[in-house]
Amino acid sequence: MSESRVFRARALAQAHPFSPGAHRYVNAVVARERTSQPQAEIGIWAGHALTVGYCARRVTEAQPPEVEVDDFETLDACASELAGAIRTSGAEHLHHVREEEVIELLDEVIGGEIERRLDHWKGTVDDDTWRELEEYIAWWVVKGYALRAVETGATLGAEAP
């Protein structure tokens, strides 16, 4: 069941899955991360991870309403808040499917992103750096999931639409 969602999320990520506001947000994040990371490639990973996380959320939805949030700062703050809650199991009400299914889906998506982005670095970085890079990718996948949740009107204090 989760394999199907992972496949669908990855397939959707190949399309143009974003609303206009989310698209601008992802472009801004990638631009910022490319200049703030030691290598520009790492910043590009953030964009890919955001995209696949966003798509993971989309494949769990029925037909949610679109809530256009076009302000970068608002999107960033709300998505960060929700992503933090998702990572600590504090956002069960946000999910359209059982939380266990969301965790399984996100774990598989994160694992795939880590494999694609980091495998060629295996053995060339120390364990601490490896863990930091894994954490970086995981954060952006979960934040992409949270970005879509914000975009569809979810907040920490309200039921998901």
Side-chain angles (χ1 to χ4, degrees):
M1 189 256 324
S2 180
E3 278 184 30
S4 171
R5 286 191 179 127
V6 170
F7 177 80
R8 288 176 26 222
R10 288 181 180 147
L12 182 59
Q14 299 301 313
H16 297 283
F18 299 115
S19 69
H23 188 146
R24 285 187 293 278
Y25 175 81
V26 171
N27 286 341
V29 165
V30 170
R32 182 188 69 206
E33 291 296 305
R34 287 187 72 188
T35 60
S36 69
Q37 295 302 319
Q39 293 185 354
E41 176 186 13
I42 295 171
I44 294 169
W45 297 349
H48 288 289
L50 265 169
T51 301
V52 76
Y54 182 93
C55 292
R57 170 69 182 204
R58 284 203 41 195
V59 301
T60 67
E61 298 171 348
Q63 286 292 341
E66 292 287 328
V67 177
E68 184 66 24
V69 181
D70 202 22
D71 174 46
F72 178 87
E73 296 301 322
T74 300
L75 276 172
D76 192 50
C78 292
S80 291
E81 181 181 31
L82 290 182
I86 290 165
R87 290 180 61 133
T88 60
S89 297
E92 201 170 323
H93 69 281
L94 294 175
H95 308 307
H96 295 287
V97 295
R98 289 187 1 260
E99 186 172 40
E100 296 79 26
E101 292 178 51
V102 171
I103 291 168
E104 182 181 339
L105 173 61
L106 290 175
D107 282 349
E108 289 184 39
V109 168
I110 290 166
E113 285 299 297
I114 288 170
E115 185 178 316
R116 262 187 293 298
R117 308 292 168 219
L118 299 182
D119 259 8
H120 69 283
W121 284 23
K122 243 184 191 146
T124 65
V125 297
D126 61 57
D127 290 345
D128 288 339
T129 302
W130 184 266
R131 279 189 294 280
E132 287 176 19
L133 291 170
E134 286 179 322
E135 182 63 26
Y136 181 81
I137 290 170
W139 169 253
W140 287 108
V141 168
V142 174
K143 192 160 179 181
Y145 181 93
L147 173 65
R148 178 61 183 174
V150 168
E151 193 172 60
T152 57
T155 65
L156 279 180
E159 294 296 315

